């Protein structure tokens, strides 16, 4: 069954509303599609408290308009027991932060997100087992190693954009030139592949394997969560492992390196690093190395793609903020964090409580599925003023260096998009660089960019752009002027 926020597929949540409607047309016709930001009436308790009907979570209305319902939950049911889907939702920022930090009380086992496709990954381990694996390659995604990769990230972005002229001549369906204007679907032309190319580069995948890499990625991602495509996902994972077997054997003997723009050695690539890593004195097996790679690939693709598209969508629909970012490129960092607060590509994370827990007068029996709703935490008005408003100048969002512990000081809080606590996303820093560098180079290239409203999916009035809701922007059509458009 597809649940509202499909937490079992939290890394693959590009759910298309149209196909959801087709697959599940009768689920909840009784929940009318409301004007954005307004909740439909599900009845009231005797004391006037609005009720939540858990069938709502399967409805198209909730997919496109979740925030008024999360507000009802935060205000009246901060721990909501969903008896239909047999799980609990925690929706307030403070409660979620506490639960994430308490990884003994709220563990990540079993998470079910990999369902065999990714293999046995750190995502599904807690405590010491988790810590041992977490440090295997994390340092490659941060600090000086990351700094040294920035020229390569910039080069990859430029190469993709430079290929547009040729692609337009070839007549691809996502780039069209007409009357001095170029119309580009930024997902296909850039954001779908760019993060995967960056990940492929830092892992140290041979260039000739890049095309297969997209097959592994796409098949594994669509195979998560026990869906009909799981078999394809398992096959792709096996194919990846077969492919890696020889590479791993070679790199165990002879590691390979990442090079800087001047040919200097920057560091070993991540595959080579994993080949020499040990847990409890033993080298990782090829299976373990494959699982790590699958997790990095799975964690770093869809998420960063969503961040880039959501950020461009939000900025172009708030032209005064876009103009400010163009005038002062240091604001790209703030724009990135406000995008992740306002519209994070990952809605939340599942946990299982190790023992009975009492929270807001609700007893959660040990072993329950407890969904931490990051979407809702990011829109908690106890933390962020006017949370539905996209505002890169907001005073209450911390957008400096990300801290493992989460940040809360002097009236500023960090967003939850990268999680909090021991499982905090190790790719947070690299995705930040990818998204801001990628978006900046795109916007330097495109003269006078604006959304091509005609080609974009519409909301229920048939006129306004469809809101993101629980789904990141899927396709983003942008027009820009061709003349003198090169930066
Ligand atoms: C905007 C982009 C991204 C978002 C929003 C995001 C979000 C998240 C979140 C919320 C978690 C926490 C999971 C939990 O608490 O159970 C996580 C974990 C993880 N992410 Fe990311 N991520 C992004 C980019 C990346 C990138 C680029 C990589 C790799 C290069 C990556 C690799 C991982 C890994 C390996 C984990 C597991 C960490 C652990 O369990 O210790 N992510 N991510």
């Amino acid at each position: 069954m597809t649940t509202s926020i499909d937490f079992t597929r939290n890394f693959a949540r590009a759910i298309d509303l149209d196909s959801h409607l087709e697959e599940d047309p009768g689920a909840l016709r009784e929940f009318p599609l409301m004007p954005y930001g307004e909740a439909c009436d599900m009845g009231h308790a005797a004391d006037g408290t609005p009720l939540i009907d858990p069938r709502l979570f399967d409805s198209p209305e909730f997919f496109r308009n979740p925030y008024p319902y999360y507000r009802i939950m935060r205000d009246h049911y901060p721990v909501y027991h969903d008896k239909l889907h047999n799980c609990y939702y925690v929706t307030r920022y403070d409660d979620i932060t506490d639960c994430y930090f308490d990884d003994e009380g709220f563990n990540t086992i079993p998470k079910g997100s990999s369902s065999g496709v990714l293999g046995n990954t750190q995502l599904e381990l807690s405590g010491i087992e988790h810590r041992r694996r977490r440090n295997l390659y994390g340092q490659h995604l941060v600090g000086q190693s990351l700094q040294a990769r920035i020229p390569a990230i910039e080069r990859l972005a430029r190469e993709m954009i430079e290929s547009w002229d040729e692609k337009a001549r070839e007549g691809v369906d996502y780039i069209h030139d007409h009357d001095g204007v170029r119309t580009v679907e930024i997902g296909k032309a850039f954001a779908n592949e760019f993060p995967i190319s960056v990940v492929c580069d830092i892992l140290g995948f041979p260039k000739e394997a890049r095309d297969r890499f997209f097959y592994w990625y796409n098949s594994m991602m669509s195979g998560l969560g026990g869906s009909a495509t799981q078999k394809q996902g398992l096959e792709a994972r096996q194919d990846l492992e077969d492919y890696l077997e020889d590479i791993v054997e070679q790199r165990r003997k002879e590691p390979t390196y990442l090079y800087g723009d001047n040919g200097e050695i920057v560091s070993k690539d991540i595959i080579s690093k994993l080949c020499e890593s040990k847990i409890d004195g033993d080298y990782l097996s090829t299976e373990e190395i494959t699982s790590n790679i699958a997790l990095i690939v799975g964690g770093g693709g869809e998420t960063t793609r969503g961040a880039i598209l959501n950020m461009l969508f939000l900025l172009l629909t708030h032209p005064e903020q876009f103009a400010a970012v163009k005038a002062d490129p240091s604001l790209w960092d703030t724009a990135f964090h406000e995008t992740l607060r306002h519209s994070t590509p990952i809605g939340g994370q599942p946990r299982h409580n190790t023992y009975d827990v009492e929270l807001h007068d609700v007893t959660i029996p040990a072993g329950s599925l407890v969904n931490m709703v990051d979407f809702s935490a990011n829109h908690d008005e106890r933390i962020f003023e006017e949370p539905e408003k996209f505002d890169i100048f907001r005073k209450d969002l911390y957008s400096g260096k990300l801290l493992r512990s989460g940040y809360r000081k002097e009236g500023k809080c960090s967003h939850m998009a990268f999680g909090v606590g021991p499982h905090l996303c190790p790719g947070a820093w690299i995705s930040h660089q990818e998204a801001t560098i990628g978006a900046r180079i795109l916007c330097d290239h495109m003269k006078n960019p604006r959304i091509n409203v005609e080609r974009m999916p519409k909301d229920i009035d048939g006129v306004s752009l469809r809101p993101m809701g629980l789904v990141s922007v899927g396709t983003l059509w942008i027009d820009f002027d061709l003349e003198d458009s090169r930066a």
Side-chain angles (χ1 to χ4, degrees):
M1 178 180 54
T2 310
T3 55
S4 53
I5 310 171
D6 199 336
F7 282 94
T8 57
R9 298 174 60 207
N10 43 28
F11 272 139
R13 56 175 291 276
I15 302 151
D16 182 87
L17 187 61
D18 290 330
S19 57
H20 180 71
L21 283 164
E22 273 166 30
E23 270 172 26
D24 203 3
L28 281 178
R29 283 199 199 98
E30 64 206 78
F31 295 111
L33 297 175
M34 298 294 292
Y36 196 67
E38 283 178 33
C40 66
D41 185 357
M42 288 173 278
H44 291 79
D47 65 358
T49 308
L51 297 174
I52 292 275
D53 178 339
R55 292 174 299 167
L56 169 84
F57 300 134
D58 294 318
S59 70
E61 159 63 2
F62 187 67
F63 270 86
R64 62 173 272 285
N65 186 28
Y67 293 108
Y69 304 101
Y70 284 141
R71 184 172 195 153
I72 295 176
M73 287 162 81
R74 282 192 303 274
D75 287 348
H76 302 284
Y77 313 98
V79 177
Y80 179 74
H81 184 189
D82 175 348
K83 294 178 186 162
L84 179 65
H85 302 101
N86 193 19
C87 63
Y88 294 79
Y89 296 101
V90 180
T91 45
R92 284 189 192 164
Y93 186 100
D94 284 342
D95 296 331
I96 295 177
T97 306
D98 290 347
C99 294
Y100 275 144
F101 273 117
D102 179 8
D103 71 330
E104 193 190 313
F106 292 89
N107 66 70
T108 54
I109 325 161
K111 200 175 239 178
S113 65
S114 61
S115 65
V117 172
L118 296 184
N120 177 20
T121 71
Q122 69 193 52
L123 203 55
E124 300 187 349
L125 296 169
S126 282
I128 183 77
E129 285 300 314
H130 170 254
R131 280 196 292 283
R132 278 188 188 137
R133 280 159 184 81
R134 173 137 177 132
N135 295 329
L136 291 176
Y137 56 84
Q139 74 270 28
H140 284 263
L141 302 173
V142 297
Q144 284 186 341
S145 302
L146 172 58
Q147 210 54 36
R149 293 321 295 153
I150 286 178
I153 296 175
E154 289 174 340
R155 197 173 50 244
L156 281 168
R158 288 213 175 82
E159 278 168 13
M160 289 193 77
I161 296 167
E162 277 159 15
S163 73
W164 287 1
D165 284 346
E166 201 186 321
K167 294 211 167 112
R169 282 194 295 275
E170 284 169 7
V172 294
D173 64 356
Y174 51 88
I175 304 180
H176 307 281
D177 292 347
H178 49 95
D179 306 323
V181 172
R182 175 164 285 177
T183 304
V184 182
E185 200 286 285
I186 299 289
K188 281 191 181 164
F190 188 80
N192 298 1
E193 290 193 8
F194 175 60
I196 308 291
S197 301
V198 172
V199 167
C200 211
D201 176 62
I202 50 163
L203 281 168
F205 260 86
K207 280 218 162 46
E208 62 277 11
R210 297 276 158 113
D211 287 345
R212 273 172 91 181
F213 202 83
F214 286 104
Y215 154 69
W216 291 321
Y217 173 74
N218 289 325
S219 301
M220 289 194 307
M221 293 309 286
S222 57
L224 293 178
S227 61
T229 48
Q230 187 194 11
K231 186 166 173 282
Q232 191 191 340
L234 290 168
E235 281 167 5
R237 188 191 187 285
Q238 187 57 50
D239 194 49
L240 171 65
E241 193 168 327
D242 293 345
Y243 175 80
L244 280 171
E245 207 159 2
D246 287 343
I247 294 193
V248 166
E249 286 322 309
Q250 271 166 17
R251 292 197 196 174
R252 284 201 202 277
K253 290 183 222 130
E254 206 174 328
T256 46
Y257 294 85
L258 299 173
Y259 295 92
D261 267 9
N262 303 319
E264 75 283 11
I265 289 181
V266 171
S267 64
K268 285 181 188 151
D269 57 54
I270 291 185
I271 298 181
S272 297
K273 196 75 202 155
L274 289 169
C275 286
E276 66 181 27
S277 300
K278 289 181 178 177
I279 294 178
D280 295 339
D282 290 328
Y283 287 110
L284 300 187
S285 64
T286 309
E287 195 276 329
E288 284 170 314
I289 292 176
T290 309
S291 297
N292 271 289
I293 291 172
L295 176 62
I296 297 174
V297 173
E302 191 61 37
T303 49
T304 311
R305 167 192 175 279
I308 294 172
L309 291 179
N310 291 359
M311 179 161 67
L312 290 174
F313 178 88
L314 286 166
L315 284 173
L316 292 177
T317 48
H318 295 81
E320 69 300 340
Q321 296 187 46
F322 180 62
V325 172
K326 283 286 288 177
D328 175 4
S330 72
L331 290 174
W332 279 111
D333 290 341
T334 340
F336 174 73
H337 287 298
E338 171 62 354
T339 299
L340 290 189
R341 185 205 63 80
H342 185 272
S343 297
T344 163
I346 295 197
Q349 297 297 328
R351 294 291 189 261
H352 288 82
N353 51 319
T354 313
Y355 28 76
D356 288 1
V357 172
E358 171 104 11
L359 193 57
H360 292 291
D361 298 328
V362 177
T363 304
I364 312 176
S368 299
L369 170 60
V370 190
N371 290 312
M372 306 295 158
V373 189
D374 299 349
F375 271 133
S376 172
N378 280 339
H379 284 244
D380 188 344
E381 44 293 286
R382 290 156 195 79
I383 303 293
F384 300 113
E385 204 174 308
E386 289 192 80
E388 318 309 356
K389 192 170 151 190
F390 175 77
D391 179 6
I392 63 169
F393 299 108
R394 62 171 53 249
K395 299 273 179 274
D396 45 19
L397 177 68
Y398 175 70
S399 57
K401 193 174 182 306
L402 278 161
L403 303 176
R404 166 178 278 262
S405 56
Y407 184 93
R408 174 177 301 207
K409 229 179 187 176
E410 293 160 6
K412 285 180 190 281
C413 291
S414 53
H415 59 72
M416 286 256 173
F418 292 123
V420 177
H423 287 269
L424 178 93
C425 175
W429 294 267
I430 191 165
S431 68
H432 179 169
Q433 291 297 343
E434 286 173 47
T436 50
I437 289 172
R440 177 177 50 76
I441 293 179
L442 275 171
C443 293
D444 284 350
H445 176 84
M446 300 187 290
K447 186 179 174 195
N448 187 21
R450 60 264 179 201
I451 291 181
N452 183 317
V453 176
E454 212 178 301
R455 285 175 180 261
M456 293 290 287
K458 304 292 182 307
D459 199 14
I460 50 174
D461 59 5
V463 180
S464 327
L465 294 173
R466 182 184 289 169
M468 275 178 246
L470 298 183
V471 186
S472 291
V473 171
T475 50
L476 180 59
W477 286 97
I478 292 186
D479 284 344
F480 65 93
D481 299 335
L482 270 176
E483 205 185 332
D484 297 323
S485 62
R486 310 298 182 271

